Amino acid sequence: MKIEIWSDIMCPFCYIGKRRLESALAEFPHKDEVEVIWKSFLLNPDMKTDPDKSIAQYLAETKGWTVEQAREAGNQVAEMAREEGLEYDFDKVVVANGRVAHRLLQFAKSAGKGDAMKERLFKAYFTEGANTADPETLVNLAAEVGLDVEKSKEALDSRDLDLLVTQDIYESHQLGVRGVPFFVMNEKYGVSGAQPKETFSQALETAWKEYAENKPSVQDLSGNGDGAACDVDGNC
């Protein structure tokens, strides 16, 4: 069963939602048959990267808040994150356009490292204060999760990967996604926001029930004979 998740790297609730879903999946009896797929979403496609501007200043400018209000909002979100075992440091967060990082995430997905890359990007952004729009930083993060360095460099400027980012965003519009994180289970059931673990558990059960009822089964036509075969260890 697939779980598709639209999210942005700069979205603090997306990291919290990831942890809560993971907590629900840890207790889900069919977790080994669930595939998590990360989808790109840009909260502010026109954001200009500015390492010299604090996230509090950016929020004050874009939301009409005072800097103090922005910092207080950050403290409240940081406390929510702490309850999920996450450490946010908004004083370190770098104002960075996420487009290039999403290209890297698309490459990571193709290499089977999508979830690991998403986790590393979240931690780099919210905890470590890394500039997630900086090519050198991104390539180093990619190497940490086991991605090829040269291919990662190429991914940052890839038009094909950029088209995949655009496609994900288009799909979100077709679904009517207005905010992230947004989770779609079994291509049918949507969960919006960083819901409590219990909500994710209920959604998993509902989606799995339908998935299990409709997934194709394999009928064994081999009879009682011992057919020659090769196993996963290469023994033939």
Side-chain angles (χ1 to χ4, degrees):
M1 183 179 76
K2 290 194 299 185
I3 301 178
E4 297 167 296
I5 311 171
W6 276 264
S7 79
D8 194 1
I9 295 153
M10 65 174 290
C11 165
F13 299 110
C14 290
Y15 201 4
I16 293 170
K18 182 178 189 291
R19 276 295 180 274
R20 290 179 176 175
L21 173 65
E22 289 169 346
S23 294
L25 278 171
E27 299 174 359
F28 187 57
H30 310 288
K31 61 180 179 292
D32 292 338
E33 296 181 68
V34 174
E35 178 186 11
V36 175
I37 302 171
W38 290 95
K39 297 281 204 171
S40 294
F41 191 95
L42 293 172
L43 288 168
N44 186 351
D46 300 320
M47 172 185 277
K48 296 187 184 304
T49 300
D50 188 349
D52 296 324
K53 181 181 291 185
S54 72
I55 195 66
Q57 289 175 307
Y58 168 78
L59 291 173
E61 293 172 4
T62 57
K63 293 183 176 292
W65 297 347
T66 66
V67 172
E68 290 72 22
Q69 287 173 325
R71 285 174 176 156
E72 179 57 31
N75 290 337
Q76 292 175 7
V77 175
E79 180 58 35
M80 185 186 300
R82 199 170 293 114
E83 294 174 358
E84 304 302 327
L86 301 172
E87 289 296 327
Y88 285 5
D89 190 339
F90 285 107
D91 289 335
K92 289 183 178 179
V93 168
V94 175
V95 176
N97 187 288
R99 187 94 193 186
V100 66
H102 278 285
R103 291 187 207 123
L104 180 61
L105 179 62
Q106 295 289 344
F107 167 60
K109 284 163 58 177
S110 71
K113 299 279 189 178
D115 192 73
M117 192 74 255
K118 190 71 173 185
E119 176 71 23
R120 191 65 191 90
L121 286 167
F122 274 144
K123 184 178 181 181
Y125 185 85
F126 287 108
T127 303
E128 300 170 351
N131 183 348
T132 52
D134 175 64
E136 183 178 353
T137 297
L138 289 172
V139 170
N140 288 338
L141 294 175
E144 287 182 27
V145 302
L147 291 171
D148 181 86
V149 169
E150 291 304 316
K151 290 182 179 179
S152 297
K153 289 179 181 177
E154 294 172 3
L156 302 184
D157 296 314
S158 170
R159 293 183 63 186
D160 290 340
L161 293 174
D162 196 70
L163 285 173
L164 292 179
V165 174
T166 299
Q167 181 178 323
D168 281 355
I169 295 170
Y170 174 77
E171 288 176 7
S172 74
H173 293 163
Q174 295 299 105
L175 289 170
V177 176
R178 303 288 296 175
V180 289
F182 191 84
F183 307 77
V184 176
M185 301 185 182
N186 196 29
E187 300 181 331
K188 182 175 181 179
Y189 297 98
V191 177
S192 180
Q195 298 289 338
K197 182 186 78 172
E198 293 74 20
T199 300
F200 284 116
S201 295
Q202 293 170 5
L204 283 167
E205 291 291 347
T206 299
W208 178 265
K209 182 178 180 181
E210 181 170 300
Y211 171 76
E213 289 174 352
N214 293 289
K215 70 177 180 178
S217 58
V218 177
Q219 184 178 359
D220 188 354
L221 301 178
S222 59
N224 296 323
D226 293 324
C230 294
D231 64 23
V232 294
D233 296 319
N235 301 311
C236 298

